[in-house]
Each structure stands twice: as structure tokens, then as C-alpha cells.
Amino acid sequence: MQFAVPLFSSFKERFVLVLFLIFVCCATLNFKYYQFRALKLEKTPQIMAEVLLQYTKTKSDKTYFVLKLKSDFGIFYTTTYEDLRDIRHRKILLRLVLENIGFWEFLKGFYAPSFSIILLQDSTFKSKLKTTLRQNILSQHNTQIMGEYYLALFLADSLPKEWRNLAQSYGIAHIFAISGFHTGILSVVGFFILGLLYKPLQARFFPFRNFFYDVGSVVIALLLAYYFLLTQSPSYLRAIAMGVVGFFMLWRGINIWRIEMLFWCVVILLALFPQLLFSVGFYFSCLGVLYIFLFFKYFRIPQGVLKKLFYGIALNASTFFQMGIVVYYFFPPFSPLSLLSLVLTPLFSLYYPFVVLAHFLGFGGILDMPLLWWLGLKTHTIALNPVTYVFLVCNVLSIIALKYKIAFLALLALNITYFGYGVYLYFYAI
């Protein structure tokens, strides 16, 4: 029997890695600061950026456009009173006024006034591929809102407002943002399909090859290609980075089902991408994975199919409730319908590969009618605003739960109680 080996065998190895990651983090910050100073040297630097999002706002009876842009140095916002047509997903040149932007804001993502917007013609292979895919996806749907829904699902485009409202009501915003959940689904499907193709070839021509390593390497390569060619979603990049580290460790026989492994993945990502320190999405991702690891730690996987099924249901419910207060602290909309995410999230694991295949075969609109019916159902939300000390208590309990099961259970009980409080407010108090 082959046993997994620990990640480190001594304190010295951990210390060396810490020093290396500090060096990497300093180098990354130094490069970011170099970019910042290069921009600040010019009074109004000209920037090339891709338009990720475009929408209108009105202030003092004047309507203007808000643009969310992605450039070589990161994501930022600007506004313009120019009469623009729809330029989403297009490349533009513009001049920025960075006079009041400090390095701290530069790292976090910022807003800066702009002027002199010039639309560019992007003829690269990547741009043509994305344009072709967008047109193909939109052509398979009779309504714009369904086409844009699938563009968000496949290419990380902005989710239409109607779908965002529905996601808030049902507590399923996580399934619409391409992230680790989607990466897991795509990995499983990739392993299954490639495994069916690879097994006979391996048995006949190269039985000495490692099945897990060969198929896993191809799956990782395809996931990376998906990122670079189709969607440069930050949440997807985080998931890929953690997946690559986990795959390498697992291939080397290192035990990845330890909380220490999660800690080092987080530290490595922060060293490579210091701006993640300001990302609420990254914080949610880390907490979600932590609660899964803690559940595995305190509750062993049982034997038997039925018991494993109940174990999976309990894991899903535990993670859902434990994320409650920290999520409502940043995103207050609440509805009791969010309980349905306990069913909708597992179902999405089947729905997602099905609709990918349907669009590949040209039948992408096959589920449009029931989805539009669902979208048309009236829902409403209330605002839950956990006080700061309750939010801090949840974080403290999360840390204590690393060692004590009672803290894990206390955190679960606190969140279930708060959810019940939200249900009471929803029906009786507001």
C-alpha cells in the first residue's frame, strides 16, 4: 500500500519556503510599483484596455457611461459623458487622470477620470475566437437575455441584471461566476472523457505510463487554454492556480487533504498576486474551502452508498450555513429561497456539462423556455446587515475550529440561528 507523505518533514523546510515566498511577494510588489511609477510619470498616460462592462448612470439630470476596464496593470473603472455605442469586449485607447491615485488604490483597483476614448480594431486570434464564440452562442437563443446569460456562464461576461437579482434571491451567485466550482466540474468531465480514450491506448502501447499524471496533465493544459483564450476571470485563475498546486502535490504522493495544504496554497497565491488581499471573492473562496476541509477533519467519510449520499448532503448544508454571516456582511440581500441552493448547487453539476454539450451541438436554446419561466417568477429580498462584532466572532471561531470541533459546531449553530432570524424578519418584521 502506498501512503501519502507529508508536505514538509521539518521546520527548516517551512522556514525556507516562507523566505522564498517573501522574496516572491517583494518582487511582485516591486514590479507593481514600477508599473505605478511609470504611469504617474505622465500627467495623463494613454492606456490600452478591454471594456469588460458598460452601463449608464444619471446624476443631476445628466446621463453618463460607467466603464469597467481591464489593462495590463489590472482592473479599474472610469466614466465618460461621450455618446458611446455598445463597446463591451472591445479594445480602446484612453487617457487617464491619475493625480489622486496612490499605490494602495492602484493595487486594490481604482476609479479614475478619463478622456479621449479611441476604439481599436482587435484582429488577434484570441479576439476573433471570442467574437466567433459569442456570435455562435447568441445565435442559438431567441432572446438577448438568455444569450447573455450563457455568455456569462461560459465566457465570464457580465451577468444580466435580471439574472443577478434571481441569483441573490436563491443564493446561487456562486454558480454563475466561473470559479473553482466550475473548474471542478470541468475537471471531472475531462478526466472521464479523456480516460475513456486513454485507457485502451495505454493498455496496448504504453502500460508503463502513469494514468493519473498523463490524463491530469492534459486536463490542466485544457483548463489553462480555456483561461488564456476564452475567459480571464480572476476567480477562475485562483481556482486553476490552486488546482495546479494540488495536482502536483498529489502526483508527488503528498497528502493534500490537510488544512496546512490550504494555508500554503493561499500564501502562494498572495505572494504571486498581492492584490488578492483586497478581494472579497478570494476571502469567500478560502473560507468555503476551509469549511469543507474542517468537515472532512471532524466527520469521517462513511462506508456504503446511502451513507455517503447523506454525508454529501450534510457537507453541502454545513458549508452553505457557515458561509451565511460573512456573506451577508458584504452582500446583505436575503431570501428564504436561498435554501433552495442546497438543491440547485448539486443539480448545476449535471446542468453545466449538459448545456456545454448542447451548445457544442447547436441546441443551446433547449432549456430556454423553463429558464425564462423561472426568471419571470416574482421574488423579493430584504437586507440582512450583521453587526461587525458578529462578523468578527465568525472569523475567530473559524480560526479556533482549526483545532477544536466545538468551535466548528458553535460556528454552524450561530449561522443557522442567524438564518432563522433572517427568515423571521422576512415574513414578520419587515
Side-chain angles (χ1 to χ4, degrees):
M1 181 181 293
Q2 184 178 2
F3 294 94
V5 297
L7 185 59
F8 300 102
S9 59
S10 67
F11 173 79
K12 180 181 177 181
E13 292 180 354
R14 291 181 174 87
F15 182 71
V16 170
L17 180 57
V18 168
L19 289 180
F20 174 73
L21 291 177
I22 290 175
F23 170 78
V24 171
C25 185
C26 290
T28 305
L29 287 173
N30 185 62
F31 176 70
K32 285 286 185 181
Y33 188 74
Y34 169 79
Q35 288 182 314
F36 172 70
R37 291 304 303 168
L39 290 172
K40 292 285 281 187
L41 284 176
E42 299 183 53
K43 189 175 181 180
T44 56
Q46 189 174 54
I47 306 296
M48 184 173 71
E50 178 185 358
V51 181
L52 300 180
L53 189 59
Q54 174 186 358
Y55 57 93
T56 58
K57 276 192 171 185
T58 301
K59 184 177 180 181
S60 302
D61 296 327
K62 292 185 178 180
T63 300
Y64 59 93
F65 282 102
V66 178
L67 302 179
K68 182 181 181 181
L69 305 173
K70 180 177 182 179
S71 68
D72 290 339
F73 56 80
I75 294 175
F76 63 97
Y77 288 84
T78 190
T79 54
T80 178
Y81 285 92
E82 294 184 34
D83 185 17
L84 300 177
R85 58 188 176 93
D86 187 357
I87 58 172
R88 288 176 297 173
H89 319 301
R90 299 290 299 273
K91 291 287 183 68
I92 61 172
L93 282 177
L94 73 164
R95 291 196 173 274
L96 290 180
V97 181
L98 299 175
E99 181 180 357
N100 297 320
I101 304 300
F103 183 59
W104 192 256
E105 290 77 20
F106 180 78
L107 274 181
K108 290 192 297 183
F110 59 90
Y111 162 80
S114 65
F115 62 95
S116 186
I117 296 177
I118 303 172
L119 187 63
L120 299 177
Q121 293 296 325
D122 191 354
S123 58
T124 61
F125 169 77
K126 176 181 168 182
S127 175
K128 290 181 178 178
L129 176 63
K130 292 183 74 170
T131 300
T132 301
L133 284 173
R134 281 196 175 90
Q135 292 172 348
N136 180 268
I137 291 171
L138 289 171
S139 68
Q140 295 184 43
H141 302 276
N142 294 324
T143 58
Q144 184 75 10
I145 194 170
M146 289 307 304
E148 292 180 349
Y149 161 76
Y150 281 107
L151 288 178
L153 211 55
F154 299 149
L155 302 182
D157 286 5
S158 177
L159 192 66
K161 182 180 179 181
E162 295 84 352
W163 279 105
R164 290 201 304 271
N165 294 337
L166 180 139
Q168 289 181 343
S169 295
Y170 288 87
I172 52 174
H174 60 285
I175 71 176
F176 294 128
I178 299 178
S179 60
F181 185 44
H182 303 74
T183 307
I185 297 173
L186 293 174
S187 298
V188 170
V189 172
F191 258 97
F192 176 75
I193 296 175
L194 293 175
L196 292 177
L197 300 174
Y198 184 82
K199 271 289 186 183
L201 296 175
Q202 182 191 34
R204 182 170 182 178
F205 298 108
F206 30 82
F208 52 89
R209 295 289 305 177
N210 184 305
F211 172 83
F212 174 79
Y213 172 75
D214 288 349
V215 176
S217 297
V218 175
V219 169
I220 290 292
L222 291 174
L223 291 175
L224 287 171
Y226 179 47
Y227 171 77
F228 285 108
L229 292 178
L230 301 180
T231 172
Q232 294 193 1
S233 164
S235 57
Y236 183 73
L237 175 60
R238 295 195 299 266
I240 288 291
M242 294 184 74
V244 169
V245 173
F247 172 74
F248 176 77
M249 298 298 181
L250 195 61
W251 173 61
R252 299 298 298 175
I254 296 172
N255 182 9
I256 67 169
W257 300 109
R258 298 182 60 182
I259 295 175
E260 184 183 10
M261 175 65 187
L262 172 62
F263 169 78
W264 288 111
C265 282
V266 170
V267 173
I268 289 170
L269 286 174
L270 288 174
L272 294 172
F273 311 103
Q275 64 270 26
L276 289 179
L277 192 62
F278 310 106
S279 170
V280 175
F282 181 64
Y283 167 66
F284 288 164
S285 298
C286 294
L287 273 187
V289 177
L290 173 63
Y291 295 148
I292 292 172
F293 272 58
L294 289 173
F295 191 90
F296 285 148
K297 176 181 178 179
Y298 293 123
F299 304 97
R300 300 294 181 184
I301 300 177
Q303 300 297 319
V305 176
L306 190 59
K307 289 183 178 179
K308 287 182 178 178
L309 176 62
F310 282 114
Y311 183 87
I313 294 173
L315 170 62
N316 186 28
S318 172
T319 307
F320 165 79
F321 282 114
Q322 287 182 314
M323 291 294 296
I325 291 175
V326 295
V327 170
Y328 296 132
Y329 185 78
F330 293 98
F331 302 103
F334 169 84
S335 168
L337 289 172
S338 60
L339 272 178
L340 292 176
S341 70
L342 296 175
V343 177
L344 295 173
T345 298
L347 286 179
F348 186 82
S349 301
L350 302 175
Y351 165 79
Y352 187 58
F354 173 78
V355 293
V356 170
L357 178 63
H359 280 83
F360 181 77
L361 297 176
F363 300 102
I366 190 171
L367 296 178
D368 280 8
M369 286 187 63
L371 287 174
L372 285 171
W373 171 81
W374 183 33
L375 186 64
L377 295 177
K378 299 297 182 182
T379 63
H380 79 277
T381 60
I382 63 171
L384 274 186
N385 296 287
V387 294
T388 301
Y389 79 84
V390 174
F391 168 74
L392 294 176
V393 166
C394 285
N395 284 273
V396 171
L397 285 175
S398 299
I399 296 172
I400 299 175
L402 295 173
K403 189 170 184 179
Y404 299 104
K405 183 178 179 180
I406 187 66
F408 178 85
L409 296 175
L411 177 65
L412 180 60
L414 175 62
N415 277 277
I416 291 176
T417 302
Y418 193 81
F419 187 90
Y421 170 70
V423 172
Y424 168 76
L425 292 179
Y426 185 89
F427 287 109
Y428 301 108
I430 296 181

